[in-house]
Amino acid sequence: MSEIISDADLEVLTGYKIPSKQCQALRDAGVFFLVRKDGRPRTTWQHFNDPIAHRKKEEQYTYEPNFGALK
């Protein structure tokens, strides 16, 4: 599942052949990717199927227990 997505698959998934447009489409979808030296994006199927932007964030609890009840 951590296979790198091929250039051909990225064209199909993003709908663009131009690397800068592919990068923008991935960025808009919240998908983590790296940019190769030739400007093409590189990501894995895991990042595509579970984008960082859509992952459930940990809930932060801001309340404290009632320590007075312990007495």
Side-chain angles (χ1 to χ4, degrees), residues 4-44:
I4 295 175
I5 300 175
S6 69
D7 291 340
D9 285 339
L10 276 173
E11 285 183 22
V12 172
L13 293 171
T14 62
Y16 295 105
K17 289 186 177 189
I18 300 170
S20 62
K21 293 285 191 179
Q22 292 174 345
C23 291
Q24 188 60 47
L26 293 172
R27 195 174 295 114
D28 291 345
V31 176
F32 173 81
F33 65 95
L34 299 173
V35 180
R36 298 186 324 199
K37 288 184 179 182
D38 65 357
R40 293 192 174 279
R42 191 56 67 224
T43 191
T44 63

